[in-house]
Amino acid sequence: MLKKIQETADFLKKEISARPKTGIILGTGLGNLVTQMTEKREIPYDIIPHFPVSTVEGHSGKLIFGKLGDVDIMAMQGRFHYYEGYEMKEVTFPVRVMKALGIENLLVSNASGGMNPDFEIGDLMIITDHINVFPEHPLRGKNHNELGARFPDMSEAYSKDFILRAKDIAEKHSIKVVEGVYVGTSGPTFETPAEYNYFRIIGGDAVGMSTVPEVIVANHAGMRVFGMSIITDLGVPGKIVEVSHEEVQEIGNKAQPLMTLIMKELVAQL
Ligand code: HPA
């Protein structure tokens, strides 16, 4: 794995002269962030050595290097979901490569179903913490001390400093944000009412099918993390209705400008 990470990083270093410190995984709600980037250099996943290739509908796959405002960033358009069949090591490989390229801050977004009864559809949730209920752990197996500790601390998996900054930015622009714990599950099914209830009881505010593996690896690698989720449907008793991928995307798209604004201003401060 170490050799693969190095080979991929070396390939990208030859392609790109900038050395960004901030990486962004463009999940739901951040697709448009790319249109705000300048001096863009796009590298499709299928020409990057050792990179998995994205398969899911509505998620094209490429790395995009460029500037957001005055800041050099590296963006991943299209992530690798566990439910697609990738191994955990593949899902999180891009984060390893980011670290090898010098990325220190990782920003992520996603869509989720809200279990917190105070949430509304379309809310932006700042992720304060997560609960990992994926059936597999991305750090299982031999630990490479070069990459991180055998037993990584997770007491501040999401940077408190970044959370405070994001809340200030949201307040300044009168953008409503909520905060909560993200439960990461494998999918691809959405939850049964009993499962939403279970995830609420164990301490979750929202549930989705991504992010947790990448955030675990980012913490293992010593990166600082910020995450936001768009609440696209509700897993709250009495409010549970049929959910579809299309609806999730539609609600995600609507919230996009606000999430993009918060991320853009946060990047400028890092
Ligand atoms: N459950 C899991 N993943 C999701 C949901 C949900 O309700 N909504 C958007 N992604």
Side-chain angles (χ1 to χ4, degrees):
M1 177 161 75
L2 296 177
K3 190 161 164 272
K4 278 190 187 172
I5 295 165
Q6 206 47 56
E7 282 172 6
T8 308
D10 288 345
F11 168 85
L12 292 168
K13 277 183 192 160
K14 278 196 208 114
E15 297 285 318
I16 305 294
S17 53
R19 293 288 172 260
K21 297 260 177 269
T22 298
I24 309 187
I25 301 177
L26 304 171
T28 303
L30 286 179
N32 273 353
L33 188 123
V34 177
T35 61
Q36 307 212 2
M37 288 174 69
T38 55
E39 300 173 39
K40 266 183 282 192
R41 181 68 210 287
E42 305 192 353
I43 308 181
Y45 292 161
D46 52 12
I47 68 158
I48 305 175
H50 310 305
F51 240 64
V53 174
S54 181
T55 62
V56 74
E57 204 185 322
H59 296 260
S60 55
K62 52 192 167 194
L63 291 183
I64 306 166
F65 292 81
K67 285 194 185 293
L68 188 63
D70 294 329
V71 185
D72 282 310
I73 64 162
M74 166 181 181
M76 259 188 87
Q77 190 174 63
R79 60 149 59 93
F80 304 103
H81 298 90
Y82 185 71
Y83 63 73
E84 292 176 83
Y86 298 108
E87 302 299 328
M88 277 296 185
K89 294 276 185 294
E90 296 178 292
V91 170
T92 56
F93 183 74
V95 179
R96 293 294 183 199
V97 172
M98 283 184 176
K99 176 69 182 184
L101 290 172
I103 297 291
E104 295 170 0
N105 311 308
L106 180 68
L107 313 186
V108 296
S109 78
N110 61 46
S112 63
M115 286 91 65
N116 184 322
D118 297 332
F119 288 1
E120 292 170 32
I121 289 179
D123 276 351
L124 296 180
M125 183 183 91
I126 293 177
I127 303 175
T128 54
D129 204 347
H130 75 217
I131 298 175
N132 178 21
V133 296
F134 280 89
E136 221 194 297
H137 198 287
L139 302 181
R140 192 172 82 90
K142 180 177 158 57
N143 187 62
H144 299 285
N145 292 327
E146 303 92 312
L147 300 181
R150 170 73 288 187
F151 301 107
D153 172 62
M154 291 292 281
S155 61
E156 194 181 328
Y158 299 80
S159 159
K160 290 199 175 97
D161 175 48
F162 291 2
I163 292 169
L164 284 178
R165 288 172 189 276
K167 282 165 66 175
D168 282 348
I169 293 164
E171 197 182 321
K172 189 177 84 186
H173 293 284
S174 307
I175 299 171
K176 180 191 175 195
V177 287
V178 297
E179 292 173 67
V181 173
Y182 177 88
V183 178
T185 181
S186 75
T189 43
F190 293 112
E191 283 62 39
T192 63
E195 286 164 346
Y196 284 125
N197 186 41
Y198 163 64
F199 289 144
R200 180 66 183 154
I201 289 169
I202 64 170
D205 294 289
V207 55
M209 308 174 197
S210 68
T211 303
V212 165
E214 296 103 312
V215 170
I216 289 173
V217 166
N219 274 272
H220 184 239
M223 294 156 95
R224 294 191 299 170
V225 175
F226 176 73
M228 278 188 97
S229 189
I230 299 177
I231 306 297
T232 57
D233 52 274
L234 292 175
V236 174
K239 295 187 181 170
I240 298 175
V241 293
E242 201 178 306
V243 206
S244 71
H245 181 56
E246 289 68 32
E247 263 169 8
V248 165
Q249 288 192 315
E250 192 189 315
I251 306 221
N253 288 341
K254 277 197 201 137
Q256 188 147 246
L258 300 179
M259 172 130 48
T260 303
L261 178 65
I262 294 172
M263 289 284 187
K264 189 174 176 184
E265 294 207 6
L266 181 61
V267 165
Q269 293 183 18
L270 301 184

